[in-house]
Amino acid sequence: GIWVAAVAGETLTATAFTKSVVDRELAQRDLTQWLQQLHQAGADLSTSAVAAWPAVVLDRMPEMPEGVGELSGPPGFFTRLAGKVSKQTVDLFGRVEDWGGSGFQLIFCAVLFAFPLLNGLAAPQNTPPPRPKAAPKRTPAATDGAAEVVGDSARAARSAVVEGSDVVVQGLQKHTEYNGLRGSVVRR
């Protein structure tokens, strides 16, 4: 427990409060009364009111203990935030524990339903892959003078090829079975 002592500096007489200060009802009232009686008695502890108290005469005045500052200081914003999150997490787990099996089943079903929805929102599955930005190249064919179109962009192919010219399809990535086919442009 915590105890309180008093030292009279002039006469080097020390006394102690004989009751525990903490963990006791009316401790503050008793301590206040003791301090008042001590103040009234002054340096002389031989008066009738305080004669029953334990007293000792010291050889010299005891040294004052060194004050210890707060080692970490008051909690900052992030420390308080972490404390609140920790407390909320402990409270949440306590509530879930109080629910028993039905609470676990409810959370499990919510996760089962929410996961595909959230996964679909986060990464849509039906988006086409990005197309290359390069414009198709037009080169004359080595055998019969036909124009060769590289790339699968329809708009770029229309602007690169004129009506009536012969072409060879090459460079398709989605429908590779059409690569190598020859044809002629009938209409744009």
Side-chain angles (χ1 to χ4, degrees):
I2 297 175
W3 300 89
V4 177
V7 178
E10 302 157 354
T11 61
L12 295 177
T13 306
T15 185
F17 182 60
T18 57
K19 300 175 183 174
S20 177
V21 179
V22 182
D23 297 332
R24 193 174 67 81
E25 288 187 33
L26 304 175
Q28 187 175 11
R29 183 200 67 171
D30 292 343
L31 180 61
T32 304
Q33 288 176 354
W34 180 77
L35 289 171
Q36 287 173 347
Q37 292 172 358
L38 187 64
H39 181 66
Q40 289 172 355
D44 184 23
L45 294 178
S46 61
T47 62
S48 62
V50 294
W53 294 350
V56 65
V57 177
L58 304 172
D59 296 332
R60 62 183 176 84
M61 188 71 148
E63 293 185 23
M64 293 294 291
E66 290 186 30
V68 177
E70 292 185 34
L71 298 178
S72 62
F77 172 74
F78 293 109
T79 306
R80 289 192 314 264
L81 181 66
K84 287 180 183 179
V85 168
S86 174
K87 183 182 182 307
Q88 293 295 328
T89 304
V90 169
D91 290 346
L92 176 67
F93 283 122
R95 283 190 220 115
V96 169
E97 188 176 306
D98 290 342
W99 287 348
S102 63
F104 177 74
Q105 289 174 352
L106 177 68
I107 291 173
F108 184 74
C109 289
V111 167
L112 281 179
F113 285 120
F115 182 74
L117 295 174
L118 294 175
N119 193 21
L121 291 174
Q125 300 295 326
N126 295 333
T127 58
R131 293 183 178 213
K133 301 283 183 184
K137 298 175 186 174
R138 184 174 179 216
T139 59
T143 57
D144 58 357
E148 179 180 326
V149 178
V150 179
D152 63 340
S153 173
R155 186 180 341 136
R158 282 192 301 235
S159 65
V161 179
V162 294
E163 290 182 19
S165 63
D166 292 333
V167 293
V168 177
V169 178
Q170 287 186 354
L172 296 180
Q173 295 176 357
K174 284 188 178 179
H175 298 286
T176 56
E177 67 270 12
Y178 296 116
N179 287 337
L181 294 180
R182 296 177 182 268
S184 62
V185 178
V186 177
R187 188 173 61 182
R188 285 185 16 182

